[in-house]
Amino acid sequence: MKIFLLVPFLATPLLSACDQLPFASPAQAAPPQSNQAQAAPSVQAPAADPRPRWLSDPSSEYPSSSFVTGVGSAHNEEMAGDKARAEVSKYFGVKIAAETKSYMRETSMGKASSTEKDVSDEVKSFTYQLIEGAEIAKYWKDSDGIVYALATLERAPTIKKLEGKLEEIDREFASDSELLAKTEGKFSRLKYALNMVKLSISRKEFNKMYRILSPEGKGKPGPDSKEVLSQARKAVKAITVRVVASGENPTSVAAQFVDDLTGRGLKAVAGD
């Protein structure tokens, strides 16, 4: 079978997928029997309720202004700690579909599957690195043998990491913007234009995380990119890729290529 693309195509490199972050809701603490109650390792609880206060109010020991916390439970410490970290990851609430679909509507390119997946993988990978910095500060076992863990993530160093990521995105965007302005030819410009669009979506997601962690609840301002981003989108829209396939099931094969190219942000059609 032979497949011909009537125009050359420059694809941006895909980011490697990251394993899906685990999400698990901690089990509700069952009231222990009074004659079997065990004291918390580092928290003095009222005699009427031997459960540590951090189970229901982590901020009592780790103020929310300085920490992100999560509580998890399981039958052993390792699993309880993993679930507690998963609760911390939920705090970031990573959502990218709306941003990507909005861009695709503006450029009239339909599907956003590949671009959306690229950004999603990058955000999840970075979030996973942040969660690795979460420490298990407390453990407690109830009378039924269920272990509870408290995970804590300091805001200040996490914000520093996000600042570094945003600055990295801004530098790459500025570099591609300069190259786009200097480069002639629709297809030569395409690589920079596609990457600039992806970077703009990534920045919005990372800035959302920054805003969530910031004590002021504000994002980190970036360079004014509205005009150059508009030029990048025009550069992408200026190209139409026509896919022609021959051999066995040419129509089906061409349709698959069209879907893939469209998902990468290009306008693609099948046929001679």
Side-chain angles (χ1 to χ4, degrees), residues 13-117:
L14 293 177
L15 293 169
S16 60
C18 171
D19 292 336
Q20 181 70 24
L21 289 171
F23 294 109
S25 298
Q28 295 297 318
Q33 299 177 11
S34 58
N35 61 347
Q36 295 179 325
Q38 298 180 7
S42 60
V43 180
Q44 294 297 323
D49 187 356
R51 292 176 300 178
R53 185 177 176 184
W54 56 261
L55 277 180
S56 58
D57 184 18
S59 62
S60 62
E61 295 188 47
Y62 295 89
S64 57
S65 59
S66 300
F67 295 90
V68 177
T69 59
V71 176
S73 63
H75 290 286
N76 59 64
E77 290 187 354
E78 183 178 2
M79 291 183 64
D82 288 343
K83 290 186 176 182
R85 289 189 177 94
E87 288 300 309
V88 172
S89 72
K90 288 182 180 180
Y91 184 83
F92 295 101
V94 178
K95 295 179 181 178
I96 69 160
E99 295 287 353
T100 308
K101 289 177 182 177
S102 174
Y103 158 67
M104 289 300 171
R105 282 196 299 269
E106 291 176 12
T107 55
S108 301
M109 291 177 188
K111 293 186 177 181
S113 57
S114 294
T115 303
E116 181 176 339
K117 186 176 184 300

Side-chain angles (χ1 to χ4, degrees), residues 162-233:
L162 281 168
E163 283 181 345
K165 183 63 178 178
L166 289 169
E167 289 170 359
E168 176 187 323
I169 290 173
D170 289 342
R171 286 194 298 270
E172 186 175 354
F173 186 92
S175 175
D176 281 354
S177 176
E178 292 179 4
L179 291 169
L180 180 68
K182 295 176 181 178
T183 303
E184 297 182 358
K186 293 180 180 180
F187 295 102
S188 298
R189 290 161 54 87
L190 181 60
K191 177 176 68 174
Y192 306 117
L194 285 173
N195 197 45
M196 288 171 66
V197 170
K198 185 178 74 66
L199 287 170
S200 69
I201 298 172
S202 294
R203 194 188 196 286
K204 288 181 180 179
E205 288 307 309
F206 285 113
N207 206 27
K208 185 188 300 180
M209 295 168 67
Y210 183 96
R211 186 168 60 250
I212 290 172
L213 287 170
S214 172
E216 297 81 15
K218 297 180 180 179
K220 181 178 176 61
D224 186 4
S225 60
K226 187 176 181 180
E227 183 175 347
V228 290
L229 185 58
S230 176
Q231 293 300 316
R233 288 173 172 166

